[in-house]
Amino acid sequence: MNKREQAPVHSARHGEVLTGVVERITYHDEETGYTVARVTPEGKDDLVTVVGPMMGVNVGETIRCHGRWVVHPQYGRQFRAERVETVYPATLAGIEKYLGSGLIKGIGPVMARRIVQHFGLDTLRVIDEEPDRLLEVLGIGPKRLSLIKAAWEEQRHIKDVMLFLQSHGVSTGLAVKIYKHYGNEALQVLQSDPYRLAREVHGIGFITADRIARHLGVPEDAPERIAAAVAYLLGEEADQSGHVYLPRSELIARATALLQVAPEKVEEAIATLMEQEVINLEPVREGAAGQRTVAEEQAVYLTPFYRAEVGVAHRLRRLLAAHQDTLWHSRLYMFQQFDWSAAFAAMAVESGLNLNAEQQAAVRTALTSPVSVLTGGPGTGKTTTVRAIIRLLEAAKARYVLASPTGRAAKRLSEATGRPAQTIHRLLEVAPGSDGVRFKRNDENPLPVDMVIVDEASMLDVLLTNHLLKAIPPGAHLLFVGDVDQLPSVGAGNVLRDIIHSGVVPVVRLQQIFRQAEDSYIVVNAHRIRQGQMPVLDNRRSRDFFLFKVDDPEVAANWIVDIVCHRIPRRFGFTPDEIQVLSPMHRGAVGVAHLNQRLQEVLNPPAADKPERRVGGRVFRLGDRVMQVRNNYDKDVYNGDWGRIVHMDLEMQSVVVDFDGRHVRYDVLELDELTHAYAISVHKAQGSEYPAIVMPVMTTHYVMLHRNLLYTAITRAKRLVVLVGEPRAISIAVRNAKPIARHSGLAQRLADEVKATYP
């Protein structure tokens, strides 16, 4: 019998039990928790493979696995765990590895060795019961002792939450998220109102909260369960599909299917949520989501989205009406009687800004209309037009601001215009509070400006737009600049498209492609795709647009790694940092997650001088390119901000990320707010430009192959586009011109508001 078969396994009522120390994790699926780990069994030297659900398990921990031995046809003998629990290690080596693994803030590998050498097998009892004795260890003073005691107490509470979750059939990886949000009140929340998790904890939805509640005995038809599901569905559709509301009939059908309850019970929950002002109902406005709807249908909004949509329509109407109001005259009145011909001629001579007729019309419209839209594809001169507007504003000594929805978009705008630009959040002076985000700039404290210019307006969601409009004083001008043919915003709504479709705001669309842009296949193909034509795919003639034909996703992934790491740098001189991989989907061989893993292996491999920390299925390593995936108002970093890990302190459990020169510190418990950014989704690339982009386009991405997605992706590239995939997949995307429908009543609501003002 070999050593593997002599592992400390004993029979149990439900199979066998194996106890050992986790040495490394070779695979982890964040969604399912399925993990492949290499474990050293107690008292043995050889590693064994353990597979199964292991959410929250970290390297260095001792685990007790309940399951059975199996023989995998490809990977051989392994222990298939059905249930895994963490336990305190019982050997000196295990205790040292556990303490030095980075789980306890203030104790690194060196300090762990000192502590274990001093206290031996009594180490964990001393820390637990007599922590002040740690002062006996060289290098531990009062400050470090205080840190260790707090961290140990925190781990104790996390373990308590883990045990509670395990006893109710929920993966232990959620314990850290729950504890981070609720602190020492976590268990009380879980036991008293588990549905709060779905409402309040990022990354935990109704399904998980409901599983806990059902284990706690909450009945299937409990009113609080059904109400929580209704609110969850509305929020999930806003987050995942961008819907501002759901039709009542669709909501009831979805909730009934999810909960397996009678529709009448869902109707009762809707009535309750209405009374609690959690939701709002009103008739669906004709034309919403691009379709005509029956007059009897109702739209069900979560209250924040309802108030935002109403607020956007009302405030835009107020701005449009301001120039006719005797109290609020236009702040740019000087442009109402203006010699435009002379101004454009002088501009051409003095600054070389030669505007065509479309651009001149856009400048006049922006400076004479209180609200206007400037749209157009790449190479049509939107930036030149904005520069001309700025020049005239400065000549008139008018006050203006430039803003964009994201930091990268604001940086691009500043570089293109030579003037300061900032994110909308910073423009509005975000002020996070215990009851949610607040902005210092609002109706009562508006911006001291005569004009606001918002670039990349296709990225605006309805909530942020409402906050922006609150801060624009009556009489000021507002210009939305953006490409309406790009993907809609990541957040709920389709603001730019809705404003254009309302028919009440002046719109100028630039269509003439400038001669210097006509030499670029990127620009030419972008416009061909927008018009429903196949792009020109000629690798021999093109200098900036290429297709590598591959029909197998695994082979495509190999090509992408080679193209990014070797081929493009060799031929075009771009560094890998100047190349951004974009993917239509997150899962699969050429999805974002797998490509990030593959690219990290080559571009930032493990090394002795590179500390790293595993969080779920991802390993964060010094030097990694990362992206923020949720708004963090306290840190002043926002969804889509890109940075690089420049410091990791495993002993103090902290990570520092450089966001364009601004260093932001994260506790390791906050790393779920970051993801790797070697590859990102096309949606996350909105508002950014890169010297080169590489993108898989496969028929396996069928559900995501839309014309505006392909168009958005290739217009992110300034100098080089490389597609890897199938011409047939490109053709599917080009032909699929149907916009991704979003339930939004803004277009009709805005038209109704203006009609009511000017019947």
Side-chain angles (χ1 to χ4, degrees):
M1 182 179 291
N2 61 34
K3 289 187 178 180
R4 285 188 179 184
E5 294 171 327
Q6 297 171 6
V9 179
H10 59 270
S11 297
R13 188 172 62 178
H14 299 295
E16 299 174 295
V17 179
L18 180 148
T19 302
V21 178
V22 178
E23 299 294 342
R24 65 177 181 269
I25 295 173
T26 58
Y27 175 80
H28 178 82
D29 186 304
E30 291 186 44
E31 293 189 14
T32 65
Y34 180 82
T35 303
V36 178
R38 298 286 281 166
V39 174
T40 301
E42 283 183 344
K44 303 298 176 182
D45 296 326
D46 281 9
L47 294 172
V48 299
T49 298
V50 178
V51 301
M54 285 182 261
M55 279 283 198
V57 169
N58 295 288
V59 172
E61 288 187 308
T62 298
I63 58 174
R64 182 179 296 123
C65 309
H66 302 260
R68 58 193 174 89
W69 286 101
V70 299
V71 178
H72 191 280
Q74 182 177 354
Y75 301 110
R77 184 175 171 82
Q78 52 188 218
F79 191 85
R80 182 174 294 166
E82 297 172 0
R83 181 166 61 88
V84 176
E85 57 195 35
T86 57
V87 296
Y88 287 142
T91 66
L92 291 177
I95 294 171
E96 181 179 326
K97 184 176 287 288
Y98 175 73
L99 289 179
S101 65
L103 289 173
I104 309 300
K105 189 178 294 187
I107 301 179
V110 174
M111 188 57 65
R113 185 174 303 112
R114 291 179 187 170
I115 294 172
V116 173
Q117 286 175 348
H118 189 81
F119 295 112
L121 291 174
D122 206 28
T123 294
L124 298 182
R125 187 201 64 78
V126 168
I127 297 176
D128 204 37
E129 300 175 7
E130 303 176 88
D132 289 343
R133 287 189 60 194
L134 289 172
L135 293 172
E136 300 170 14
V137 178
L138 178 67
I140 296 182
K143 185 175 180 180
R144 186 185 291 260
L145 174 64
S146 176
L147 195 65
I148 293 172
K149 288 167 70 172
W152 185 262
E153 187 67 18
E154 184 176 270
Q155 282 297 313
R156 186 205 304 273
H157 285 289
I158 290 175
K159 296 295 182 185
D160 289 343
V161 175
M162 282 183 175
L163 289 172
F164 179 87
L165 290 170
Q166 283 181 333
S167 68
H168 292 89
V170 181
S171 61
T172 57
L174 299 175
V176 173
K177 282 188 176 183
I178 294 169
Y179 182 81
K180 185 176 78 172
H181 191 87
Y182 296 112
N184 294 341
E185 297 178 0
L187 279 178
Q188 180 184 344
V189 170
L190 285 166
Q191 293 167 333
S192 62
D193 184 7
Y195 292 110
R196 281 183 62 183
L197 301 181
R199 299 191 301 268
E200 299 172 356
V201 181
H202 172 71
I204 296 180
F206 172 81
I207 303 299
T208 298
D210 190 47
R211 190 180 306 153
I212 298 172
R214 303 285 283 134
H215 272 268
L216 287 171
V218 174
E220 189 175 75
D221 60 351
E224 64 269 26
R225 176 177 186 249
I226 302 172
V230 169
Y232 159 76
L233 285 171
L234 290 170
E236 186 75 0
E237 287 302 303
D239 290 340
Q240 301 300 322
S241 302
H243 295 311
V244 182
Y245 69 85
L246 282 182
R248 184 171 185 150
S249 59
E250 181 180 337
L251 177 62
I252 291 173
R254 296 273 305 276
T256 300
L258 174 67
L259 301 170
Q260 297 296 300
V261 297
E264 294 77 14
K265 295 288 186 180
V266 180
E267 291 278 14
E268 292 173 6
I270 290 175
T272 299
L273 291 171
M274 275 283 292
E275 293 175 4
Q276 297 172 347
E277 298 184 352
V278 174
I279 63 174
N280 288 78
L281 276 72
E282 66 169 38
V284 167
R285 293 175 179 272
E286 195 159 313
Q291 298 176 349
R292 296 174 67 87
T293 26
V294 294
E296 293 77 17
E297 182 66 282
Q298 284 187 307
V300 186
Y301 292 79
L302 284 173
T303 296
F305 293 104
Y306 174 77
R307 290 175 177 168
E309 186 177 280
V310 171
V312 169
H314 173 71
R315 291 181 173 91
L316 282 174
R317 190 266 303 162
R318 185 190 66 177
L319 287 173
L320 287 166
H323 71 293
Q324 295 193 6
D325 193 309
T326 56
L327 180 63
W328 299 105
H329 291 294
S330 170
R331 292 168 180 254
L332 300 180
Y333 62 88
M334 71 287 293
F335 292 109
Q336 298 299 328
Q337 305 294 327
F338 193 66
D339 189 342
W340 292 102
S341 297
F344 290 136
M347 191 182 302
V349 172
E350 295 169 7
S351 62
L353 291 173
N354 288 290
L355 307 183
N356 63 25
E358 292 175 343
Q359 292 172 306
Q360 290 182 15
V363 172
R364 287 197 303 270
T365 302
L367 295 176
T368 58
S369 300
V371 182
S372 60
V373 172
L374 170 61
T375 188
T380 56
K382 294 193 299 295
T383 300
T384 300
T385 305
V386 171
R387 287 169 56 205
I389 293 169
I390 291 172
R391 186 171 183 85
L392 291 174
L393 287 169
E394 290 176 346
K397 294 183 170 44
R399 299 167 299 172
Y400 68 92
V401 289
L402 305 175
S404 291
T406 67
R408 291 183 71 83
K411 185 178 180 181
R412 277 183 55 212
L413 179 60
S414 181
E415 291 170 350
T417 60
R419 300 293 185 272
Q422 55 192 315
T423 64
I424 294 173
H425 286 91
R426 293 194 179 103
L427 174 69
L428 301 182
E429 300 176 28
V430 64
S434 58
D435 58 344
V437 65
R438 293 285 184 270
F439 294 98
K440 294 179 182 178
R441 294 294 179 180
N442 49 39
D443 292 297
E444 299 175 355
N445 183 31
L447 295 163
V449 296
D450 304 312
M451 186 167 192
V452 175
I453 300 174
V454 180
D455 195 22
E456 295 292 351
S458 63
M459 300 177 67
L460 286 170
D461 61 63
V462 69
L463 294 175
L464 184 58
T465 304
N466 187 42
H467 285 299
L468 172 66
L469 292 173
K470 288 179 182 179
I472 299 178
H477 284 220
L478 172 61
L479 172 63
F480 295 106
V481 183
D483 189 343
V484 73
D485 294 311
Q486 290 186 19
L487 287 169
S489 59
V490 174
N494 205 345
V495 173
L496 182 63
R497 184 178 291 272
D498 283 348
I499 289 173
I500 292 173
H501 287 179
S502 72
V504 301
V505 173
V507 178
V508 177
R509 179 162 199 154
L510 304 180
Q511 302 188 68
Q512 180 182 334
I513 304 175
F514 282 83
R515 183 170 299 172
Q516 60 268 31
E518 290 178 339
D519 294 333
S520 167
Y521 272 55
I522 296 174
V523 174
V524 170
N525 282 338
H527 286 275
R528 288 179 65 87
I529 291 168
R530 184 179 63 80
Q531 294 162 5
Q533 302 173 25
M534 276 290 287
V536 178
L537 303 172
D538 188 343
N539 288 0
R540 291 174 299 177
R541 295 177 56 191
S542 175
R543 292 176 297 179
D544 61 3
F545 198 105
F546 301 90
L547 169 67
F548 284 78
K549 295 181 181 179
V550 183
D551 59 9
D552 180 87
E554 293 286 352
V555 176
N558 293 336
W559 270 102
I560 288 169
V561 173
D562 186 43
I563 288 167
V564 171
C565 301
H566 306 295
R567 289 175 177 261
I568 290 179
R570 266 199 317 262
R571 179 169 175 182
F572 296 96
F574 295 123
T575 67
D577 279 348
E578 295 176 300
I579 306 166
Q580 182 62 59
V581 176
L582 306 179
S583 179
M585 299 188 74
H586 285 273
R587 304 182 72 175
V590 285
V592 170
H594 185 243
L595 289 174
N596 264 318
Q597 181 180 337
R598 294 287 309 278
L599 289 164
Q600 184 196 35
E601 289 171 359
V602 179
L603 296 175
N604 192 30
D609 61 345
K610 290 182 186 176
E612 61 182 46
R613 177 66 186 253
R614 176 177 286 274
V615 177
R618 294 192 293 270
V619 174
F620 289 100
R621 185 174 296 133
L622 182 68
D624 272 341
R625 185 196 302 183
V626 294
M627 176 178 284
Q628 180 80 8
V629 295
R630 60 176 297 201
N631 290 340
N632 188 318
Y633 301 103
D634 293 314
K635 296 184 186 299
D636 195 24
V637 288
Y638 304 99
N639 189 357
D641 284 356
W642 182 97
R644 188 175 296 280
I645 296 177
V646 293
H647 181 71
M648 297 187 79
D649 188 333
L650 298 183
E651 185 170 305
M652 302 308 295
Q653 294 192 31
S654 67
V655 172
V656 176
V657 179
D658 181 349
F659 290 100
D660 285 326
R662 195 168 65 88
H663 286 194
V664 178
R665 185 175 298 276
Y666 291 79
D667 187 275
V668 293
L669 294 182
E670 300 172 312
L671 289 182
D672 63 334
E673 295 185 9
L674 297 174
T675 188
H676 291 98
Y678 300 102
I680 62 176
S681 69
V682 179
H683 276 90
K684 290 291 188 185
Q686 285 179 270
S688 298
E689 271 191 349
Y690 311 93
I693 69 109
V694 177
M695 178 182 175
V697 188
M698 314 289 295
T699 53
T700 52
H701 293 154
Y702 186 85
V703 296
M704 292 298 294
L705 293 178
H706 291 264
R707 183 185 298 175
N708 59 357
L709 182 137
L710 181 59
Y711 174 81
T712 300
I714 69 172
T715 54
R716 300 307 88 209
K718 291 191 286 188
R719 295 167 58 189
L720 180 66
V721 169
V722 179
L723 303 181
V724 179
E726 306 162 80
R728 179 168 172 263
I730 297 172
S731 177
I732 291 170
V734 170
R735 292 198 309 269
N736 187 4
K738 183 180 179 181
I740 301 172
R742 291 188 165 189
H743 292 299
S744 166
L746 178 60
Q748 192 60 47
R749 193 185 299 276
L750 179 55
D752 291 346
E753 283 260 359
V754 174
K755 185 178 179 180
T757 306
Y758 307 109

